[in-house]
Amino acid sequence: MTYAKLPVSGSMVALMVASTSVALYLLNTTENFKKAQEMAVTSQLAFLGAVSAFVLLLIGSFDQIKAPLKFIYSCFLKPLGKTGDSSSQQGRLEAFYKEQAEIYDETRGGLLRGRSSMLALVAAQLKEQLKTSGSDKAPIWIDLGGGTGWNIEQMNNYFPINKFERVYLVDLCPSLCRIARERFQKFGWTNVVVLCEDALGSNFPGMSDPKGKVDLITMSYSLSMMDNYYAVVDHVHSMLEPKAGIIGVSDFYASNNVQKASSHGIEDFQCNWWTRNFWQIWFAFDHVHLHASRREYLEHRFDVKKAINGRNHFVIPFFVQIPYYIWGSVPDSPRSVGSSRTLVSSPLSSKALLEKQTEIRFGPKLSQWRLPYNPTLPCHTQFRSYIYAFTWEDPRIDLEVLSVQKDDVMFVITSAGDNALEYALQGEPSRIHCVDMNPCQNHLLELKLAAIKNLSYSDFWQMFGDGRHSDFRRILVDQLSPSLSSAALQFWYKNRSTFDDCFYETGYSGLALRLFKWLVRIKGLSKTVGEITTTDDIRVQEQLWENVVKPSTLPVWLVERVLSHPAFLWNALGVPINQMKLILDEGTAVQYIYDTLDSIMTRSLFRDDQYFYNLVVNRKYTHESCPSYLTEAGFQKLKEKQATDAMLMHTKSIIEVLKSLADGELTKAVLMDHMDWFDPKDADDEIKEVARAVRTGGMVLWRSAGRKPWYNALFEKYGFEVQPVGVRVPGSGESIDRVNMYASCYIAIKK
């Protein structure tokens, strides 16, 4: 019998194949077993080598990671377990800080935000107080909860420590006080005293009774840790000099779910539900208390001057958001003009009397120029930024037609504030009511006014001529903050990167500048456009526009499909639908844009006169082509003659402000183009109020996208004689002013 003759089934074949495969696999495995062993040994050695290298790296860099490790243990692990003597606040503090006292300063930079800004803020306010009072007395400063003395060392950068009469650091933690004493000994400051005592029980050497004698008190991330919070706030209030004392606070906080009543520090004040509750619970483990009532009581006892709300994106940006605030204030007791050290009983000056009358009429001012308003109203909260970074109307025509005089009382729309400053410079009117419903437009004008008052021409030019200032973050707090309202300071502090690159590319109008820049680059026209702004030959300027730039940048399809689109018109140019309708009722968008720009090229040179379009091209001004207030002579005149004192900023609707004015109070009003935005009912209501507020012989000037705007008849209805200043003729090649953006300009004289 042979194997060939045996019957073979399918299952037997499968079994034979499987058996053969297993045998071959085992043979192969056996042959590679030694190789596998060798590879495993090699892998183990490599792993051990990596572990050894990592351990050596940790040992070598231990000095660098020791501080963070201590910080993590002390702040995130130890507080949840045993924290030592908890029978007293001092025991808890010492147990918490003793092991990290040496590394406290180097580990708190990212967690305790706003400390330097708070110190710079109160230092600037202190210098302003001393300057205003005329006192040469060295101030007294108490830093409550001053810890290691870091605040005092930093303050030396803003207000020299040797300029203080005495500085007291009060802290309850012995380990931190030891670090502070060593720090001050190193600097040789003999006027600094460290008191390791409770904030309520401190005895100040050299000052028998501190009540009403302290010029400055600061609390940096310490107030929220104090058990007797309300008593401490009352004690601080009693120690401050009644009429000129300053308090500065930076700390964590949590809001409640009720809208903040005060007009100071409203922006970004509210915390969402998660932030409000989570951080209160988390910080409570460390006996840090963030209940909303604490900040509310602080603001109840003091007259808030400056308040900035922020979010600390600690460790994990956008996920971790710890609310903190920077706060500067004075006692809420009645105050008089000047410091109590120099105040004498005398009649009010004419300027002080005018200020008093203004306060009676409109309420206490938020800054030298800013009237109070409710920032929570929807009409204000709809604006997140300014629309116009520059003003798009030619003030030369306004000044020629209106002939502004020193006894004039003007009413103008704020916009970017450029034209209001031109009126103040050229005509020096007694009062200019600047009105804008968008708070951010008034924030911008307020920044310009504060800059004129406090900065050198070089700094002012860098900000608003070049449109960039590398040191804006510092000068905002150090030099401008005393003159800014709390709302304006909060806005610019939040947007402190505005001047890092190009200010004129910000705001909604900046979108148009950026689009033009990109279009020029894509088309390869940068050199040609540059020639338009530098040539001294008007014919060259016209030919470059007509033959090169216009065909490439403004083809008909682009005008019709993009530049005429409602979204672009509003977001980039600030043109609403009603105004666009005026244009289309009298022609086409293509014709309107060509009529606007063609005649500009033959009117005057970009190089030394057309600063509006020069700005569009270069995104900055030049000394030869800029508004008059940006010239050095104009700047100095505004500063020396204090012409900006005439400014009064209203953050309300135009009709609200008009109703607040007396009959016949105004002599000149400039309404820009905003009447184009209205429907007949709103226009009728506003023009009726204009007629009441403007005295006989007074003048009102406006511009329109229509050559014959329908509301001219309403001015005539309410007793005005309407006269055209300039009306464009389509296709004529003639412009009505250096901007020529509008089809007409009219003036109305009250009969």
Side-chain angles (χ1 to χ4, degrees):
M1 185 174 65
T2 63
Y3 290 104
K5 295 180 179 179
L6 289 175
V8 181
S9 66
S11 58
M12 290 181 64
V13 172
L15 180 60
M16 291 170 60
V17 171
S19 300
T20 304
S21 299
V22 170
L24 290 172
Y25 170 78
L26 291 174
L27 179 61
N28 185 60
T29 301
T30 303
E31 291 177 351
N32 290 322
F33 182 72
K34 291 184 178 180
K35 291 183 179 181
Q37 281 185 316
E38 292 174 359
M39 290 176 63
V41 171
T42 303
S43 299
Q44 291 171 355
L45 291 174
F47 175 75
L48 290 173
V51 170
S52 301
F54 180 71
V55 171
L56 291 173
L57 180 63
L58 287 178
I59 294 172
S61 60
F62 182 71
D63 289 339
Q64 285 74 33
I65 66 172
K66 178 173 64 176
L69 289 176
K70 276 190 176 183
F71 170 74
I72 292 170
Y73 171 72
S74 299
C75 292
F76 300 106
L77 300 177
K78 186 177 178 181
L80 300 177
K82 185 176 180 180
T83 57
D85 179 15
S86 60
S87 61
S88 67
Q89 185 179 20
Q90 186 176 52
R92 292 197 306 268
L93 290 172
E94 181 65 10
F96 184 71
Y97 287 117
K98 183 176 181 180
E99 295 180 5
Q100 53 174 319
E102 299 289 345
I103 53 95
Y104 182 89
D105 292 332
E106 63 180 297
T107 58
R108 279 347 190 248
L111 180 62
L112 308 182
R113 295 290 176 87
R115 293 182 297 169
S116 295
S117 295
M118 182 272 288
L119 293 169
L121 184 69
V122 296
Q125 194 68 38
L126 181 61
K127 287 184 280 190
E128 182 72 12
Q129 291 273 40
L130 295 173
K131 178 182 175 182
T132 303
S133 70
S135 173
D136 57 358
K137 178 183 179 297
I140 296 173
W141 173 27
I142 297 176
D143 189 27
L144 286 179
T148 64
W150 183 91
N151 286 348
I152 294 174
E153 180 180 343
Q154 289 298 307
M155 176 64 88
N156 194 51
N157 298 321
Y158 311 118
F159 195 106
I161 298 303
N162 58 17
K163 297 293 184 181
F164 286 98
E165 179 182 341
R166 286 184 299 277
V167 178
Y168 298 97
L169 183 152
V170 180
D171 200 280
L172 200 54
C173 179
S175 294
L176 298 183
C177 288
R178 174 179 56 82
I179 299 296
R181 291 190 181 96
E182 294 172 358
R183 184 192 300 269
F184 303 145
Q185 185 177 7
K186 180 184 68 175
F187 283 101
W189 291 329
T190 57
N191 60 335
V192 181
V193 179
V194 178
L195 303 174
C196 190
E197 300 177 11
D198 182 86
L200 289 173
S202 300
N203 296 309
F204 300 96
M207 189 165 51
S208 57
D209 182 6
K211 186 175 182 180
K213 295 180 181 178
V214 182
D215 300 278
L216 173 64
I217 296 178
T218 56
M219 290 172 282
S220 176
Y221 289 91
S222 58
L223 194 53
S224 57
M225 300 182 70
M226 296 181 180
D227 289 346
N228 299 316
Y229 177 88
Y230 299 100
V232 169
V233 172
D234 291 342
H235 185 49
V236 167
H237 189 281
S238 69
M239 290 192 295
L240 279 174
E241 203 276 351
K243 298 180 179 66
I246 300 168
I247 174 176
V249 179
S250 58
D251 212 334
F252 302 118
Y253 82 99
S255 70
N256 54 30
N257 58 356
V258 178
Q259 183 64 53
K260 195 172 188 285
S262 169
S263 61
H264 297 281
I266 284 185
E267 186 174 358
D268 294 334
F269 171 77
Q270 287 292 341
C271 305
N272 59 45
W273 182 90
W274 170 258
T275 301
R276 181 168 60 247
N277 290 283
F278 175 79
W279 292 116
Q280 285 193 67
I281 296 170
W282 178 271
F283 280 107
F285 285 117
D286 292 336
H287 299 278
V288 178
H289 306 289
L290 308 187
H291 194 275
S293 60
R294 291 197 162 211
R295 181 171 172 182
E296 288 172 359
Y297 187 70
L298 184 68
E299 297 191 352
H300 167 71
R301 290 308 314 266
F302 293 90
D303 182 12
V304 184
K305 291 299 182 185
K306 305 288 186 289
I308 298 172
N309 303 306
R311 299 293 183 270
N312 183 354
H313 301 282
F314 185 62
V315 181
I316 308 175
F318 306 111
F319 180 74
V320 176
Q321 298 185 40
I322 311 175
Y324 72 94
Y325 67 104
I326 303 166
W327 196 81
S329 184
V330 295
D332 62 352
S333 56
R335 289 174 299 286
S336 302
V337 179
S339 168
S340 62
R341 297 191 182 104
T342 59
L343 187 65
V344 294
S345 178
S346 62
L348 289 174
S349 66
S350 58
K351 184 176 180 180
L353 184 60
L354 180 62
E355 289 297 305
K356 190 66 177 177
Q357 292 172 343
T358 301
E359 182 174 329
I360 292 172
R361 289 183 66 187
F362 302 109
K365 292 200 291 186
L366 304 180
S367 71
Q368 179 180 342
W369 313 278
R370 193 76 176 264
L371 293 175
Y373 71 102
N374 184 351
T376 65
L377 296 177
C379 62
H380 302 318
T381 57
Q382 65 177 311
F383 299 105
R384 293 169 297 175
S385 182
Y386 41 86
I387 296 174
Y388 308 104
F390 48 91
T391 302
W392 205 236
E393 285 84 12
D394 188 352
R396 182 183 293 171
I397 299 298
D398 302 4
L399 290 164
E400 289 174 359
V401 174
L402 296 174
S403 184
V404 180
Q405 305 296 319
K406 291 187 177 181
D407 60 349
D408 275 324
V409 177
M410 299 190 69
F411 183 98
V412 306
I413 296 173
T414 303
S415 186
D418 298 332
N419 286 8
L421 287 168
E422 290 291 309
Y423 306 148
L425 173 63
Q426 305 295 346
E428 300 179 43
S430 62
R431 175 67 76 198
I432 305 177
H433 292 279
C434 301
V435 185
D436 212 298
M437 191 182 295
N438 182 346
C440 307
Q441 295 291 167
N442 280 337
H443 294 336
L444 176 54
L445 175 55
E446 197 175 348
L447 183 70
K448 290 181 178 180
L449 295 174
I452 291 170
K453 179 180 179 180
N454 297 289
L455 299 184
S456 66
Y457 176 68
S458 174
D459 284 327
F460 186 72
W461 174 261
Q462 286 180 65
M463 287 175 61
F464 299 109
D466 289 333
R468 55 173 55 86
H469 198 304
S470 60
D471 205 21
F472 176 69
R473 287 168 167 80
R474 182 191 63 80
I475 64 175
L476 172 64
V477 179
D478 290 3
Q479 295 175 258
L480 300 178
S481 64
S483 299
L484 292 173
S485 66
S486 182
L489 178 61
Q490 166 82 45
F491 177 82
W492 291 111
Y493 189 85
K494 183 178 180 180
N495 296 282
R496 52 195 181 275
S497 63
T498 298
F499 293 91
D500 286 355
D501 184 21
C502 181
F503 162 69
Y504 290 107
E505 289 187 358
T506 64
Y508 294 156
S509 62
L511 174 61
L513 269 63
R514 293 195 300 273
L515 289 174
F516 181 75
K517 176 182 70 174
W518 296 333
L519 184 60
V520 166
R521 289 179 178 176
I522 290 170
K523 294 289 185 177
L525 296 173
S526 299
K527 182 178 180 181
T528 304
V529 169
E531 289 180 27
I532 289 179
T533 65
T534 57
T535 183
D536 57 2
D537 189 333
I538 194 76
R539 292 171 300 179
V540 172
Q541 180 175 287
E542 179 188 8
Q543 289 168 4
L544 289 173
W545 163 255
E546 193 66 37
N547 299 329
V548 183
V549 179
K550 179 181 174 181
S552 297
T553 59
L554 287 177
V556 173
W557 69 266
L558 180 65
V559 175
E560 290 181 339
R561 298 180 185 178
V562 179
L563 303 187
S564 301
H565 194 279
F568 177 84
L569 288 169
W570 174 246
N571 290 309
L573 303 178
V575 178
I577 293 177
N578 282 356
Q579 192 168 49
M580 188 62 186
K581 187 175 183 301
L582 278 174
I583 295 172
L584 298 179
D585 285 347
E586 296 180 343
T588 66
V590 174
Q591 183 66 50
Y592 190 93
I593 291 178
Y594 288 167
D595 282 342
T596 297
L597 299 175
D598 287 346
S599 57
I600 285 298
M601 301 301 161
T602 59
R603 183 181 179 93
S604 60
L605 289 170
F606 281 36
R607 176 180 178 176
D608 56 17
D609 190 49
Q610 282 284 4
Y611 66 78
F612 307 94
Y613 291 98
N614 201 348
L615 175 68
V616 172
V617 172
N618 294 315
R619 301 173 302 286
K620 65 178 182 179
Y621 292 112
T622 66
H623 287 287
E624 296 75 29
S625 184
C626 66
S628 300
Y629 79 89
L630 275 175
T631 64
E632 186 166 8
F635 172 83
Q636 295 300 342
K637 181 179 177 181
L638 287 172
K639 181 187 284 285
E640 292 167 6
K641 291 198 171 186
Q642 299 180 331
T644 58
D645 289 355
M647 303 281 194
L648 207 58
M649 280 184 279
H650 304 256
T651 311
K652 294 182 177 180
S653 69
I654 288 175
I655 196 165
E656 282 182 288
V657 178
L658 287 169
K659 287 180 177 179
S660 70
L661 301 177
D663 293 354
E665 182 173 347
L666 301 175
T667 62
K668 309 283 169 63
V670 182
L671 301 181
M672 292 187 169
D673 65 321
H674 94 281
M675 300 297 299
D676 284 357
W677 302 22
F678 284 173
D679 59 35
K681 174 66 169 61
D682 292 334
D684 189 280
D685 291 343
E686 183 172 303
I687 293 172
K688 182 179 179 180
E689 283 299 322
V690 170
R692 183 194 60 79
V694 173
R695 70 184 61 170
T696 301
M699 292 183 280
V700 182
L701 183 143
W702 67 89
R703 291 175 170 82
S704 175
R707 295 191 294 277
K708 296 180 180 179
W710 54 269
Y711 50 81
N712 284 8
L714 293 177
F715 280 95
E716 293 172 342
K717 171 185 173 182
Y718 287 107
F720 287 93
E721 179 187 347
V722 178
Q723 302 172 0
V725 175
V727 179
R728 278 191 345 203
V729 177
S732 68
E734 296 294 326
S735 59
I736 63 173
D737 57 33
R738 289 178 296 175
V739 179
N740 201 39
M741 183 60 70
Y742 301 98
S744 64
C745 178
Y746 286 88
I747 188 169
I749 303 172
K750 179 75 176 293
K751 293 186 290 187

